[in-house]
């Protein structure tokens, strides 16, 4: 594909996928991730960077900030943007699949083979083993996208305590994905949390109010004399969380968390 050629749907999908994985303000042609995608699809890094800023012009986050000077994107790019808003699962998994095929065809084949073997061992009909394999592939690709996009949005920090050690960070779901599979890949249903705060949030000992302030459950107040509990949890009560660049946690999901999971 030479410079100046129209972007195909697959190329746009890959650019959109990358758009969600790069923090705001880093969409430039010198970003190694931009250079990497440019190589993969045989385009210049400046044309990839341009496409990222085209997507930015559609993003409500940038529109709300009144960022101007962004070029309106082509019809196909606009269409993809609308598609992803209405069905994260389908568009994102399609793009992750494409990306993996381009980046590591061999690794992908092996990973799929391993999943096949797992699925084959299941005591089920052949047809359902295939479905199980497809499901496992989707889970793997989905988890990777969700983590990458949440980490980019929160700039690799726990939104409660600011912990910056990536090995200790988890891309958590506000509403657990076992309860709402449709929200599994939606970045507005995500939070970047350290291992302690992820667990506390998951167990309902921590939540977030409508003004994006931390709520600590009264269920642990009786531990108030313990330094670890005080320093690890109590001191964050009513503290504002660190908000991401894009995809702030949706208030409707936080409301559900407070009402259905939080131990008041
Ligand atoms: Zn934390």
């Amino acid at each position: 594909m030479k410079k100046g050629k129209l972007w195909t749907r697959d190329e746009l999908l890959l650019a959109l996928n990358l758009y969600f994985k790069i923090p705001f303000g880093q969409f430039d042609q010198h970003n190694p991730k931009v250079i990497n995608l440019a190589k993969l699809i045989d385009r210049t890094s400046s044309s990839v960077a341009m496409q990222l800023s085209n997507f930015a012009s559609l993003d409500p986050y940038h529109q709300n900030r009144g960022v101007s000077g962004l070029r309106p994107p082509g019809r196909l790019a606009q269409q993809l943007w609308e598609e992803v808003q209405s069905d994260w699962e389908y568009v994102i998994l399609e793009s992750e699949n494409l990306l993996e095929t381009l980046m590591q065809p061999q690794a992908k084949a092996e990973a799929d083979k391993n999943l096949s073997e797992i699925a084959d061992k299941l005591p089920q009909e052949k047809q359902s083993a295939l479905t199980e394999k497809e499901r496992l592939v989707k889970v793997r690709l989905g988890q990777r996208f969700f983590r990458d996009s949440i980490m980019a949005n929160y700039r690799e920090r726990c939104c409660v305590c600011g912990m910056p050690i990536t090995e200790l960070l988890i891309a958590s779901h506000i509403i657990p994905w076992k309860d709402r599979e449709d929200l599994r890949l939606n970045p507005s249903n995500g939070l970047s949390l350290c291992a302690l705060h992820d667990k506390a949030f998951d167990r309902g000992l921590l939540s977030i109010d409508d003004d994006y302030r931390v709520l600590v459950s009264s269920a642990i107040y009786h531990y108030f004399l313990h330094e670890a509990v005080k320093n690890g949890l109590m001191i964050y009560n009513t503290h504002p969380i660190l908000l991401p660049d894009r995809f702030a946690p949706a208030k409707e999901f936080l409301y559900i968390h407070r009402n259905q999971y939080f131990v008041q």
Side-chain angles (χ1 to χ4, degrees), residues 2-3 26 47 56 71 80 104 125 153 164 179 182 203 205 216 219 222-224 228 235 245 252-253:
K2 294 283 169 288
K3 197 183 167 190
Q26 294 178 20
S47 73
R71 271 189 356 150
L80 263 186
Q104 309 159 302
E125 294 294 304
N153 276 339
D179 296 344
D182 58 317
R203 303 305 288 265
L205 301 177
V216 174
H222 63 283
Y223 287 109
F224 75 99
I235 57 163
D245 289 334
E252 54 175 304
F253 304 153

Side-chain angles (χ1 to χ4, degrees), residues 124-221:
Q124 289 169 335
E125 294 294 304
K126 218 177 179 183
Q127 186 56 39
S128 58
L130 183 70
T131 315
E132 180 61 12
K133 183 202 156 196
E134 285 167 358
R135 196 187 65 79
L136 292 169
V137 170
K138 280 184 181 175
V139 167
R140 181 170 59 80
L141 295 177
Q143 278 170 344
R144 190 175 59 189
F145 171 81
F146 190 73
R147 180 177 169 92
D148 289 352
S149 61
I150 295 294
M151 289 303 130
N153 276 339
Y154 286 85
R155 297 177 187 248
E156 302 188 328
R157 293 279 189 282
C158 168
C159 71
V160 170
C161 68
M163 167 64 72
I165 302 174
T166 50
E167 289 88 340
L168 297 179
L169 294 177
I170 291 153
S172 314
H173 289 90
I174 298 172
I175 303 179
W177 70 274
K178 60 177 170 47
D179 296 344
R180 282 288 298 274
E181 256 191 75
D182 58 317
L183 300 178
R184 200 162 61 105
L185 301 185
N186 185 334
S188 305
N189 187 37
L191 294 170
S192 170
L193 291 170
C194 69
L196 173 64
H197 295 135
D198 167 71
K199 192 75 175 176
F201 190 84
D202 181 58
R203 303 305 288 265
L205 301 177
L206 209 78
S207 196
I208 296 168
D209 73 12
D210 242 359
D211 297 318
Y212 297 122
R213 287 172 194 278
V214 177
L215 296 169
V216 174
S217 168
S218 56
I220 60 164
Y221 284 0

Side-chain angles (χ1 to χ4, degrees), residues 6 26 33 56 68 78 95-96 114 116 133 136-137 160 183 191 200 208 223 231 254 263:
L6 281 178
Q26 294 178 20
K33 288 181 179 172
S68 58
Q78 286 195 35
S95 66
E96 278 293 318
N114 287 340
S116 262
K133 183 202 156 196
L136 292 169
V137 170
V160 170
L183 300 178
L191 294 170
I208 296 168
Y223 287 109
N231 295 331
L254 293 175
V263 183

Side-chain angles (χ1 to χ4, degrees), residues 27-96:
F27 304 146
D28 66 87
Q29 55 179 310
H30 305 295
N31 184 318
K33 288 181 179 172
V34 173
I35 295 171
N36 191 30
L37 177 60
K39 276 189 194 149
L40 279 176
I41 61 176
D42 194 18
R43 286 192 176 268
T44 62
S45 56
S46 59
S47 73
V48 172
M50 176 91 71
Q51 200 56 253
L52 296 177
S53 60
N54 287 349
F55 283 123
S57 77
L58 296 170
D59 193 327
Y61 169 74
H62 298 284
Q63 288 170 353
N64 292 342
R65 292 170 71 247
V67 175
S68 58
L70 296 169
R71 271 189 356 150
R75 202 173 44 84
L76 199 50
Q78 286 195 35
Q79 214 175 308
L80 263 186
W81 182 265
E82 281 158 25
E83 266 181 55
V84 79
Q85 303 305 318
S86 62
D87 192 346
W88 280 95
E89 183 90 11
Y90 182 78
V91 180
I92 292 306
L93 289 178
E94 194 186 351
S95 66
E96 278 293 318

